[in-house]
Amino acid sequence: MKKIYSQFQLKNEIAEIKPLKIGHINDSFILWGTSPDDESYFLQRINHNIFKDVEGLQRNIWVVTEHIRAKLLKAGVPNVEQRVMRVIPAKDGKLYHKDTDGNYWRVYVNIKNTHSFEQITPELAYEVGVAFGNFQMQLVDVPREEMIESIPDFHNVAFRVQQLKDAVNQNAAGRLEKTQWMVDELLKRADEMCLPQQLYREGKMPGRINHCDTKINNLLFNEKNEPCCIVDLDTVMEGIVLSDFGDFMRTAANTGAEDDPNLDNIDVNMEIFEAYTRGYLSSATFLTPIELEYLAFGAKMLSYMQTVRFFADYLNGDTYYKVAHPEHNWQRSLAQFRLLQKQEEKFQQMQDIVKKCTSNN
Ligand code: GN1
Ligand code: MG
C-alpha cells in the first residue's frame, strides 16, 4: 500500500491505513498521519470496469471541486476545506496513479469530524434539498467543455429503453415468458418517459450539471450537525435537472425499500417529497419555467428508468447489479414499478407541491 500512496503529493507521513466499508463501486481507505493534527487522506481504488475513462473522470472531479472552491473563497465562506473535496495529484502531476497491476488509484484530503445519515426525516430532506440545489447553483457556470460523461448515457432514458429492448430480444436467461406483462407496461410508457430528454436534445430544456447519485448519505454534516459537503462525485455530469430531483425522490420519498418484497409497503412519502422540494427550490433559483413545469415528472422518470434497468438486468441473467438471490432483480423491478404507479396516482399532488413551493420563494 505504501508503494501506492507514496506516489501522491502527501504533506505528511502515514502511520495507519484503515479500509472503509462504503459504496458498491470503489474500494476506499483512510490514511491517518502520525499526529491528530496531521492531514489525513481518503484513498480509493477506482472501479475502471464501470469508469472506463479514468483520466476524464478525474478531470471532471478536479474541474468541479476547483470551481466550487474558487466560488467559496471569493464569497469569503469560512472553513472552505470542510465544504468541498480536495483532490491530491500524484507526484507526476496526474490526478490518479496507475499501479503495475493496472489498478487506478486516487487520493482526496479526508474531511475530518464529519458524518452522514442513512435514515431520512423531513428536516433532513429539507437540508439535503438545499444542499443539492446549492451544488447545482454553484455549477451553473462550470466549464462544461472540460467535462465528459463519466458513464456514457448513464441517465439517458431512451438508451435504457433500448437496452431493455435488446434484453427482450435476446432473452438470455429465459425469463421473458412470465414477465412479458412488465415489458408491455414499460414500453407503453416509453415515449412519455423519454419526452423531457427529447426537449433537452431539441434545445428546449437546458442542460445542467447533475450529481447523479442524490442519496442522503452523499451529504456530509459537520460536528455542529450543519450540512457542509457533497461527496461521491464520480457521476457528476451534464443532464437535465429532473434527474437529480427525481433520483432523490425515488430513493428517499418511498415509504418502502427499493427492493421491498412487500409491495404494500410502497407509497410516495409526501412529507419527504414536500420537504425536499421546499429545500431544493429555496436554493436552486436558476430554474427556468420549463424545468419547473417538469420537475415533479422527474420522480416518475427516475423510478421508470430504474425499473427498466433492474428488469433488463433480470432478463440478461443478472450481469450488472449484485443480487442476494436469483429473483432479486425481479423483486427490485416490481418494487420500483409499484413506486412508479403510486407516483402516477399522486402526480397532481406532486405538481401542486412544486407550484406551491415555487410561489413561496
Ligand atoms: C447503483 O451502487 P449504488 O447504490 O451507489 C447505480 C445507480 C442506481 C443504484 C440503484 C454506477 O448505485 O445508478 O440507481 O445502484 N450506480 C451505477 O440502487 O450504476
Ligand atoms: Mg454512489
Side-chain angles (χ1 to χ4, degrees), residues 222-283:
N222 65 17
E223 53 278 66
K224 288 187 222 143
N225 244 350
E226 296 159 346
C228 59
C229 184
I230 286 183
V231 296
D232 193 0
L233 306 176
D234 286 329
T235 50
V236 175
M237 63 181 103
E238 185 174 323
I240 52 175
V241 283
L242 279 62
S243 205
D244 271 6
F245 181 85
D247 215 20
F248 181 86
M249 296 313 184
R250 181 186 75 76
T251 53
N254 177 356
T255 53
E258 183 179 68
D259 61 348
D260 215 307
N262 181 358
L263 299 182
D264 293 337
N265 288 340
I266 296 169
D267 206 336
V268 186
N269 186 332
M270 294 307 282
E271 224 189 329
I272 298 296
F273 187 96
E274 177 153 0
Y276 184 87
T277 305
R278 214 160 22 85
Y280 177 68
L281 290 180
S282 74
S283 56

Short mmCIF file of all heavy atoms in Angstrom, two decimals, residues 222-283:
data_model
loop_
_atom_site.label_atom_id
_atom_site.label_comp_id
_atom_site.label_asym_id
_atom_site.label_seq_id
_atom_site.Cartn_x
_atom_site.Cartn_y
_atom_site.Cartn_z
N ASN A 222 -21.16 18.55 9.61
CA ASN A 222 -20.01 18.79 10.50
C ASN A 222 -20.38 18.51 11.96
O ASN A 222 -21.48 18.04 12.25
CB ASN A 222 -19.46 20.21 10.30
CG ASN A 222 -20.46 21.29 10.72
OD1 ASN A 222 -21.42 21.02 11.43
ND2 ASN A 222 -20.22 22.50 10.27
N GLU A 223 -19.45 18.82 12.87
CA GLU A 223 -19.65 18.49 14.28
C GLU A 223 -20.82 19.26 14.88
O GLU A 223 -21.41 18.81 15.87
CB GLU A 223 -18.36 18.66 15.09
CG GLU A 223 -17.63 20.00 15.00
CD GLU A 223 -16.72 20.14 13.76
OE1 GLU A 223 -17.25 20.17 12.62
OE2 GLU A 223 -15.51 20.27 13.94
N LYS A 224 -21.21 20.38 14.28
CA LYS A 224 -22.40 21.11 14.76
C LYS A 224 -23.67 20.63 14.07
O LYS A 224 -24.72 21.27 14.17
CB LYS A 224 -22.22 22.61 14.50
CG LYS A 224 -21.19 23.26 15.41
CD LYS A 224 -21.21 24.77 15.18
CE LYS A 224 -19.82 25.36 15.14
NZ LYS A 224 -19.65 26.44 14.17
N ASN A 225 -23.54 19.56 13.33
CA ASN A 225 -24.66 18.99 12.58
C ASN A 225 -25.16 19.89 11.46
O ASN A 225 -26.33 19.82 11.08
CB ASN A 225 -25.81 18.64 13.52
CG ASN A 225 -26.06 17.15 13.52
OD1 ASN A 225 -25.50 16.42 12.68
ND2 ASN A 225 -26.89 16.70 14.41
N GLU A 226 -24.28 20.74 10.96
CA GLU A 226 -24.65 21.57 9.81
C GLU A 226 -24.18 20.86 8.55
O GLU A 226 -23.08 20.32 8.52
CB GLU A 226 -23.93 22.93 9.88
CG GLU A 226 -24.31 23.78 11.05
CD GLU A 226 -23.24 24.84 11.37
OE1 GLU A 226 -22.10 24.74 10.86
OE2 GLU A 226 -23.57 25.74 12.15
N PRO A 227 -25.03 20.89 7.49
CA PRO A 227 -24.59 20.28 6.24
C PRO A 227 -23.36 21.01 5.73
O PRO A 227 -23.32 22.24 5.79
CB PRO A 227 -25.77 20.52 5.28
CG PRO A 227 -26.76 21.32 6.01
CD PRO A 227 -26.32 21.55 7.41
N CYS A 228 -22.36 20.28 5.30
CA CYS A 228 -21.17 21.00 4.83
C CYS A 228 -20.69 20.60 3.45
O CYS A 228 -20.32 21.46 2.67
CB CYS A 228 -20.05 20.96 5.86
SG CYS A 228 -19.49 19.34 6.31
N CYS A 229 -20.69 19.30 3.10
CA CYS A 229 -20.01 18.96 1.85
C CYS A 229 -20.71 17.83 1.10
O CYS A 229 -21.09 16.82 1.69
CB CYS A 229 -18.58 18.55 2.19
SG CYS A 229 -17.57 18.21 0.75
N ILE A 230 -20.86 17.98 -0.19
CA ILE A 230 -21.40 16.92 -1.04
C ILE A 230 -20.25 16.06 -1.55
O ILE A 230 -19.25 16.59 -2.05
CB ILE A 230 -22.24 17.52 -2.18
CG1 ILE A 230 -23.55 18.03 -1.57
CG2 ILE A 230 -22.51 16.49 -3.27
CD1 ILE A 230 -24.53 18.58 -2.54
N VAL A 231 -20.40 14.76 -1.39
CA VAL A 231 -19.32 13.85 -1.77
C VAL A 231 -19.80 12.86 -2.84
O VAL A 231 -20.96 12.93 -3.27
CB VAL A 231 -18.78 13.09 -0.53
CG1 VAL A 231 -18.16 14.06 0.46
CG2 VAL A 231 -19.87 12.26 0.14
N ASP A 232 -18.92 11.94 -3.23
CA ASP A 232 -19.21 10.92 -4.24
C ASP A 232 -19.48 11.60 -5.60
O ASP A 232 -20.61 11.58 -6.10
CB ASP A 232 -20.39 10.04 -3.81
CG ASP A 232 -20.52 8.80 -4.67
OD1 ASP A 232 -19.69 8.64 -5.59
OD2 ASP A 232 -21.45 8.01 -4.45
N LEU A 233 -18.44 12.16 -6.15
CA LEU A 233 -18.59 13.00 -7.34
C LEU A 233 -18.34 12.24 -8.65
O LEU A 233 -18.20 12.86 -9.71
CB LEU A 233 -17.65 14.21 -7.22
CG LEU A 233 -17.81 15.03 -5.94
CD1 LEU A 233 -16.77 16.15 -5.88
CD2 LEU A 233 -19.22 15.62 -5.83
N ASP A 234 -18.30 10.92 -8.58
CA ASP A 234 -17.97 10.12 -9.77
C ASP A 234 -18.93 10.33 -10.93
O ASP A 234 -18.53 10.24 -12.08
CB ASP A 234 -18.00 8.63 -9.42
CG ASP A 234 -16.79 8.23 -8.61
OD1 ASP A 234 -15.73 8.85 -8.79
OD2 ASP A 234 -16.91 7.29 -7.80
N THR A 235 -20.19 10.52 -10.61
CA THR A 235 -21.18 10.58 -11.70
C THR A 235 -21.64 12.01 -11.98
O THR A 235 -22.68 12.21 -12.61
CB THR A 235 -22.40 9.68 -11.39
OG1 THR A 235 -22.86 9.99 -10.07
CG2 THR A 235 -22.03 8.22 -11.47
N VAL A 236 -20.89 12.99 -11.51
CA VAL A 236 -21.26 14.38 -11.81
C VAL A 236 -21.09 14.61 -13.31
O VAL A 236 -20.01 14.41 -13.86
CB VAL A 236 -20.37 15.38 -11.02
CG1 VAL A 236 -20.68 16.80 -11.43
CG2 VAL A 236 -20.60 15.21 -9.53
N MET A 237 -22.17 14.94 -13.97
CA MET A 237 -22.12 15.12 -15.43
C MET A 237 -23.35 15.91 -15.90
O MET A 237 -24.29 16.11 -15.13
CB MET A 237 -22.05 13.77 -16.14
CG MET A 237 -23.24 12.89 -15.94
SD MET A 237 -23.07 11.30 -16.78
CE MET A 237 -22.66 10.21 -15.41
N GLU A 238 -23.32 16.29 -17.16
CA GLU A 238 -24.43 17.09 -17.67
C GLU A 238 -25.67 16.24 -17.91
O GLU A 238 -25.59 15.08 -18.30
CB GLU A 238 -24.02 17.78 -18.99
CG GLU A 238 -25.12 18.71 -19.48
CD GLU A 238 -24.73 19.52 -20.70
OE1 GLU A 238 -23.57 19.94 -20.82
OE2 GLU A 238 -25.63 19.74 -21.53
N GLY A 239 -26.82 16.84 -17.65
CA GLY A 239 -28.09 16.19 -17.90
C GLY A 239 -29.19 17.22 -17.72
O GLY A 239 -28.93 18.41 -17.82
N ILE A 240 -30.40 16.76 -17.40
CA ILE A 240 -31.46 17.73 -17.10
C ILE A 240 -31.75 17.66 -15.60
O ILE A 240 -31.55 16.61 -14.98
CB ILE A 240 -32.74 17.45 -17.93
CG1 ILE A 240 -33.19 16.00 -17.82
CG2 ILE A 240 -32.51 17.84 -19.38
CD1 ILE A 240 -34.50 15.70 -18.52
N VAL A 241 -32.23 18.78 -15.03
CA VAL A 241 -32.40 18.84 -13.57
C VAL A 241 -33.33 17.77 -13.02
O VAL A 241 -33.23 17.40 -11.86
CB VAL A 241 -32.91 20.21 -13.06
CG1 VAL A 241 -31.83 21.23 -13.03
CG2 VAL A 241 -34.13 20.65 -13.79
N LEU A 242 -34.24 17.29 -13.82
CA LEU A 242 -35.19 16.27 -13.38
C LEU A 242 -34.47 15.05 -12.81
O LEU A 242 -34.98 14.34 -11.96
CB LEU A 242 -36.05 15.79 -14.56
CG LEU A 242 -37.23 16.62 -14.99
CD1 LEU A 242 -36.79 18.00 -15.46
CD2 LEU A 242 -37.98 15.91 -16.10
N SER A 243 -33.29 14.83 -13.33
CA SER A 243 -32.52 13.65 -12.98
C SER A 243 -32.18 13.59 -11.50
O SER A 243 -32.49 12.62 -10.81
CB SER A 243 -31.25 13.71 -13.83
OG SER A 243 -30.72 12.47 -14.02
N ASP A 244 -31.56 14.65 -10.98
CA ASP A 244 -31.18 14.65 -9.57
C ASP A 244 -32.38 14.77 -8.65
O ASP A 244 -32.47 14.10 -7.63
CB ASP A 244 -30.23 15.84 -9.28
CG ASP A 244 -28.78 15.45 -9.51
OD1 ASP A 244 -28.54 14.33 -9.98
OD2 ASP A 244 -27.89 16.27 -9.21
N PHE A 245 -33.31 15.62 -9.03
CA PHE A 245 -34.52 15.79 -8.23
C PHE A 245 -35.24 14.44 -8.15
O PHE A 245 -35.62 13.96 -7.08
CB PHE A 245 -35.42 16.85 -8.88
CG PHE A 245 -36.69 17.12 -8.14
CD1 PHE A 245 -36.71 18.03 -7.10
CD2 PHE A 245 -37.88 16.47 -8.48
CE1 PHE A 245 -37.89 18.29 -6.41
CE2 PHE A 245 -39.06 16.72 -7.79
CZ PHE A 245 -39.06 17.64 -6.76
N GLY A 246 -35.39 13.81 -9.30
CA GLY A 246 -36.12 12.54 -9.37
C GLY A 246 -35.43 11.41 -8.63
O GLY A 246 -36.08 10.59 -8.01
N ASP A 247 -34.11 11.38 -8.68
CA ASP A 247 -33.42 10.25 -8.04
C ASP A 247 -33.49 10.37 -6.52
O ASP A 247 -33.56 9.37 -5.82
CB ASP A 247 -31.97 10.14 -8.51
CG ASP A 247 -31.51 8.69 -8.59
OD1 ASP A 247 -32.38 7.78 -8.66
OD2 ASP A 247 -30.29 8.44 -8.57
N PHE A 248 -33.50 11.60 -6.02
CA PHE A 248 -33.70 11.74 -4.57
C PHE A 248 -35.10 11.24 -4.20
O PHE A 248 -35.27 10.49 -3.24
CB PHE A 248 -33.54 13.19 -4.09
CG PHE A 248 -33.72 13.29 -2.61
CD1 PHE A 248 -32.67 13.07 -1.75
CD2 PHE A 248 -34.99 13.53 -2.07
CE1 PHE A 248 -32.85 13.08 -0.36
CE2 PHE A 248 -35.18 13.56 -0.69
CZ PHE A 248 -34.10 13.34 0.16
N MET A 249 -36.12 11.63 -4.97
CA MET A 249 -37.48 11.20 -4.66
C MET A 249 -37.62 9.69 -4.78
O MET A 249 -38.31 9.05 -3.98
CB MET A 249 -38.48 11.89 -5.59
CG MET A 249 -38.53 13.40 -5.43
SD MET A 249 -38.64 13.88 -3.68
CE MET A 249 -38.80 15.67 -3.86
N ARG A 250 -36.96 9.11 -5.76
CA ARG A 250 -37.00 7.66 -5.93
C ARG A 250 -36.40 6.94 -4.72
O ARG A 250 -36.94 5.95 -4.23
CB ARG A 250 -36.24 7.27 -7.20
CG ARG A 250 -36.24 5.79 -7.50
CD ARG A 250 -35.35 5.44 -8.67
NE ARG A 250 -33.94 5.49 -8.33
CZ ARG A 250 -33.28 4.56 -7.62
NH1 ARG A 250 -33.93 3.49 -7.19
NH2 ARG A 250 -32.00 4.69 -7.34
N THR A 251 -35.26 7.46 -4.23
CA THR A 251 -34.59 6.75 -3.14
C THR A 251 -35.15 7.11 -1.77
O THR A 251 -35.20 6.27 -0.89
CB THR A 251 -33.06 7.04 -3.15
OG1 THR A 251 -32.86 8.46 -3.14
CG2 THR A 251 -32.40 6.44 -4.37
N ALA A 252 -35.56 8.38 -1.58
CA ALA A 252 -35.91 8.81 -0.22
C ALA A 252 -37.41 8.99 0.02
O ALA A 252 -37.88 8.78 1.13
CB ALA A 252 -35.18 10.10 0.12
N ALA A 253 -38.16 9.40 -1.01
CA ALA A 253 -39.59 9.65 -0.80
C ALA A 253 -40.39 8.39 -1.14
O ALA A 253 -41.36 8.42 -1.90
CB ALA A 253 -40.04 10.85 -1.62
N ASN A 254 -39.95 7.27 -0.57
CA ASN A 254 -40.62 5.98 -0.76
C ASN A 254 -40.83 5.41 0.64
O ASN A 254 -39.86 5.32 1.40
CB ASN A 254 -39.71 5.07 -1.61
CG ASN A 254 -40.27 3.66 -1.81
OD1 ASN A 254 -41.32 3.32 -1.26
ND2 ASN A 254 -39.55 2.85 -2.57
N THR A 255 -42.05 5.05 0.98
CA THR A 255 -42.31 4.51 2.32
C THR A 255 -41.78 3.08 2.45
O THR A 255 -41.70 2.55 3.55
CB THR A 255 -43.82 4.53 2.64
OG1 THR A 255 -44.50 3.85 1.57
CG2 THR A 255 -44.36 5.95 2.74
N GLY A 256 -41.44 2.47 1.34
CA GLY A 256 -40.87 1.12 1.39
C GLY A 256 -39.41 1.14 0.96
O GLY A 256 -38.81 2.19 0.80
N ALA A 257 -38.88 -0.07 0.77
CA ALA A 257 -37.47 -0.18 0.34
C ALA A 257 -37.39 -0.29 -1.17
O ALA A 257 -38.37 -0.62 -1.83
CB ALA A 257 -36.83 -1.39 1.00
N GLU A 258 -36.22 -0.05 -1.69
CA GLU A 258 -36.00 -0.12 -3.15
C GLU A 258 -36.33 -1.51 -3.69
O GLU A 258 -36.76 -1.66 -4.83
CB GLU A 258 -34.53 0.22 -3.44
CG GLU A 258 -34.19 0.26 -4.90
CD GLU A 258 -32.72 0.64 -5.14
OE1 GLU A 258 -31.83 -0.17 -4.78
OE2 GLU A 258 -32.46 1.72 -5.68
N ASP A 259 -36.11 -2.53 -2.83
CA ASP A 259 -36.36 -3.92 -3.25
C ASP A 259 -37.40 -4.56 -2.34
O ASP A 259 -37.32 -5.76 -2.06
CB ASP A 259 -35.06 -4.71 -3.23
CG ASP A 259 -34.44 -4.77 -1.84
OD1 ASP A 259 -34.90 -4.00 -0.95
OD2 ASP A 259 -33.52 -5.57 -1.63
N ASP A 260 -38.32 -3.75 -1.85
CA ASP A 260 -39.26 -4.26 -0.84
C ASP A 260 -40.02 -5.50 -1.34
O ASP A 260 -40.68 -5.44 -2.39
CB ASP A 260 -40.27 -3.16 -0.47
CG ASP A 260 -40.65 -3.25 0.98
OD1 ASP A 260 -41.07 -4.35 1.40
OD2 ASP A 260 -40.51 -2.24 1.69
N PRO A 261 -39.94 -6.63 -0.60
CA PRO A 261 -40.68 -7.81 -1.04
C PRO A 261 -42.19 -7.65 -0.82
O PRO A 261 -42.99 -8.33 -1.45
CB PRO A 261 -40.11 -8.94 -0.16
CG PRO A 261 -39.50 -8.26 1.01
CD PRO A 261 -39.13 -6.86 0.59
N ASN A 262 -42.56 -6.74 0.09
CA ASN A 262 -43.98 -6.49 0.34
C ASN A 262 -44.39 -5.19 -0.37
O ASN A 262 -44.14 -4.09 0.12
CB ASN A 262 -44.22 -6.39 1.84
CG ASN A 262 -45.69 -6.16 2.17
OD1 ASN A 262 -46.53 -6.02 1.24
ND2 ASN A 262 -46.01 -6.10 3.44
N LEU A 263 -45.05 -5.35 -1.50
CA LEU A 263 -45.37 -4.18 -2.33
C LEU A 263 -46.35 -3.23 -1.62
O LEU A 263 -46.42 -2.05 -1.95
CB LEU A 263 -45.93 -4.62 -3.68
CG LEU A 263 -44.98 -5.46 -4.54
CD1 LEU A 263 -45.61 -5.81 -5.88
CD2 LEU A 263 -43.64 -4.75 -4.76
N ASP A 264 -47.06 -3.76 -0.62
CA ASP A 264 -47.99 -2.89 0.13
C ASP A 264 -47.26 -1.85 0.96
O ASP A 264 -47.86 -0.87 1.41
CB ASP A 264 -48.89 -3.72 1.04
CG ASP A 264 -49.83 -4.59 0.23
OD1 ASP A 264 -50.08 -4.24 -0.95
OD2 ASP A 264 -50.29 -5.62 0.76
N ASN A 265 -45.96 -2.07 1.21
CA ASN A 265 -45.19 -1.07 1.97
C ASN A 265 -44.88 0.17 1.14
O ASN A 265 -44.47 1.19 1.67
CB ASN A 265 -43.82 -1.65 2.39
CG ASN A 265 -43.98 -2.68 3.49
OD1 ASN A 265 -44.99 -2.69 4.19
ND2 ASN A 265 -42.97 -3.54 3.64
N ILE A 266 -45.05 0.04 -0.18
CA ILE A 266 -44.53 1.09 -1.07
C ILE A 266 -45.57 2.15 -1.37
O ILE A 266 -46.70 1.85 -1.76
CB ILE A 266 -44.02 0.45 -2.38
CG1 ILE A 266 -42.84 -0.46 -2.04
CG2 ILE A 266 -43.61 1.51 -3.40
CD1 ILE A 266 -42.40 -1.34 -3.15
N ASP A 267 -45.17 3.38 -1.14
CA ASP A 267 -46.03 4.53 -1.49
C ASP A 267 -45.13 5.76 -1.56
O ASP A 267 -43.98 5.70 -1.16
CB ASP A 267 -47.11 4.72 -0.42
CG ASP A 267 -48.35 5.42 -0.99
OD1 ASP A 267 -48.22 6.13 -2.01
OD2 ASP A 267 -49.44 5.27 -0.40
N VAL A 268 -45.68 6.84 -2.08
CA VAL A 268 -44.88 8.08 -2.10
C VAL A 268 -44.98 8.70 -0.71
O VAL A 268 -46.07 8.88 -0.18
CB VAL A 268 -45.43 9.08 -3.13
CG1 VAL A 268 -44.51 10.29 -3.22
CG2 VAL A 268 -45.60 8.42 -4.48
N ASN A 269 -43.83 9.02 -0.12
CA ASN A 269 -43.84 9.72 1.15
C ASN A 269 -43.96 11.22 0.86
O ASN A 269 -42.98 11.89 0.54
CB ASN A 269 -42.55 9.39 1.92
CG ASN A 269 -42.56 9.98 3.31
OD1 ASN A 269 -43.20 11.00 3.56
ND2 ASN A 269 -41.87 9.32 4.22
N MET A 270 -45.20 11.71 0.95
CA MET A 270 -45.46 13.09 0.50
C MET A 270 -44.79 14.13 1.40
O MET A 270 -44.44 15.21 0.95
CB MET A 270 -46.97 13.36 0.43
CG MET A 270 -47.69 12.55 -0.62
SD MET A 270 -46.98 12.67 -2.29
CE MET A 270 -47.61 14.23 -2.80
N GLU A 271 -44.61 13.77 2.66
CA GLU A 271 -43.96 14.71 3.58
C GLU A 271 -42.50 14.93 3.17
O GLU A 271 -42.00 16.05 3.16
CB GLU A 271 -44.01 14.10 4.99
CG GLU A 271 -44.40 15.10 6.05
CD GLU A 271 -44.22 14.49 7.44
OE1 GLU A 271 -44.39 13.26 7.59
OE2 GLU A 271 -43.90 15.26 8.34
N ILE A 272 -41.85 13.82 2.82
CA ILE A 272 -40.46 13.92 2.36
C ILE A 272 -40.43 14.64 1.00
O ILE A 272 -39.57 15.49 0.76
CB ILE A 272 -39.83 12.50 2.22
CG1 ILE A 272 -39.81 11.79 3.58
CG2 ILE A 272 -38.42 12.58 1.61
CD1 ILE A 272 -38.96 12.42 4.64
N PHE A 273 -41.38 14.30 0.16
CA PHE A 273 -41.44 14.95 -1.16
C PHE A 273 -41.51 16.47 -0.99
O PHE A 273 -40.77 17.23 -1.61
CB PHE A 273 -42.64 14.43 -1.97
CG PHE A 273 -42.65 14.93 -3.38
CD1 PHE A 273 -42.13 14.15 -4.41
CD2 PHE A 273 -43.15 16.19 -3.70
CE1 PHE A 273 -42.10 14.62 -5.73
CE2 PHE A 273 -43.12 16.67 -5.00
CZ PHE A 273 -42.61 15.88 -6.02
N GLU A 274 -42.38 16.89 -0.10
CA GLU A 274 -42.57 18.33 0.08
C GLU A 274 -41.36 19.00 0.71
O GLU A 274 -40.92 20.07 0.28
CB GLU A 274 -43.84 18.59 0.92
CG GLU A 274 -44.02 20.07 1.19
CD GLU A 274 -45.47 20.50 1.42
OE1 GLU A 274 -46.36 19.62 1.35
OE2 GLU A 274 -45.68 21.68 1.65
N ALA A 275 -40.79 18.35 1.72
CA ALA A 275 -39.65 18.96 2.43
C ALA A 275 -38.46 19.12 1.48
O ALA A 275 -37.80 20.17 1.46
CB ALA A 275 -39.27 18.10 3.64
N TYR A 276 -38.18 18.10 0.69
CA TYR A 276 -37.04 18.20 -0.24
C TYR A 276 -37.31 19.28 -1.28
O TYR A 276 -36.45 20.09 -1.59
CB TYR A 276 -36.79 16.85 -0.93
CG TYR A 276 -35.55 16.87 -1.82
CD1 TYR A 276 -34.30 16.60 -1.29
CD2 TYR A 276 -35.64 17.17 -3.18
CE1 TYR A 276 -33.15 16.63 -2.09
CE2 TYR A 276 -34.50 17.20 -3.99
CZ TYR A 276 -33.26 16.92 -3.43
OH TYR A 276 -32.14 16.95 -4.24
N THR A 277 -38.53 19.30 -1.80
CA THR A 277 -38.88 20.29 -2.83
C THR A 277 -38.71 21.70 -2.29
O THR A 277 -38.14 22.57 -2.96
CB THR A 277 -40.34 20.08 -3.30
OG1 THR A 277 -40.48 18.72 -3.72
CG2 THR A 277 -40.71 21.00 -4.44
N ARG A 278 -39.16 21.91 -1.06
CA ARG A 278 -39.04 23.23 -0.44
C ARG A 278 -37.57 23.63 -0.31
O ARG A 278 -37.19 24.74 -0.66
CB ARG A 278 -39.72 23.19 0.94
CG ARG A 278 -40.38 24.46 1.35
CD ARG A 278 -41.43 24.32 2.47
NE ARG A 278 -41.32 23.16 3.32
CZ ARG A 278 -40.54 23.07 4.41
NH1 ARG A 278 -39.80 24.09 4.78
NH2 ARG A 278 -40.51 21.96 5.14
N GLY A 279 -36.76 22.71 0.17
CA GLY A 279 -35.33 23.00 0.34
C GLY A 279 -34.66 23.25 -1.00
O GLY A 279 -33.95 24.24 -1.19
N TYR A 280 -34.93 22.36 -1.92
CA TYR A 280 -34.28 22.45 -3.24
C TYR A 280 -34.64 23.76 -3.94
O TYR A 280 -33.77 24.47 -4.45
CB TYR A 280 -34.71 21.24 -4.08
CG TYR A 280 -34.15 21.25 -5.49
CD1 TYR A 280 -32.80 21.10 -5.72
CD2 TYR A 280 -34.99 21.44 -6.58
CE1 TYR A 280 -32.28 21.13 -7.02
CE2 TYR A 280 -34.49 21.47 -7.88
CZ TYR A 280 -33.13 21.32 -8.08
OH TYR A 280 -32.62 21.35 -9.36
N LEU A 281 -35.93 24.10 -3.93
CA LEU A 281 -36.34 25.31 -4.66
C LEU A 281 -35.88 26.59 -3.97
O LEU A 281 -35.75 27.63 -4.61
CB LEU A 281 -37.85 25.32 -4.86
CG LEU A 281 -38.36 24.26 -5.86
CD1 LEU A 281 -39.87 24.35 -6.00
CD2 LEU A 281 -37.69 24.41 -7.23
N SER A 282 -35.57 26.50 -2.67
CA SER A 282 -35.09 27.71 -1.99
C SER A 282 -33.67 28.04 -2.44
O SER A 282 -33.25 29.19 -2.39
CB SER A 282 -35.14 27.54 -0.47
OG SER A 282 -34.10 26.68 -0.04
N SER A 283 -32.91 27.05 -2.89
CA SER A 283 -31.53 27.35 -3.30
C SER A 283 -31.32 27.27 -4.82
O SER A 283 -30.48 27.97 -5.36
CB SER A 283 -30.54 26.44 -2.59
OG SER A 283 -30.86 25.09 -2.82
#
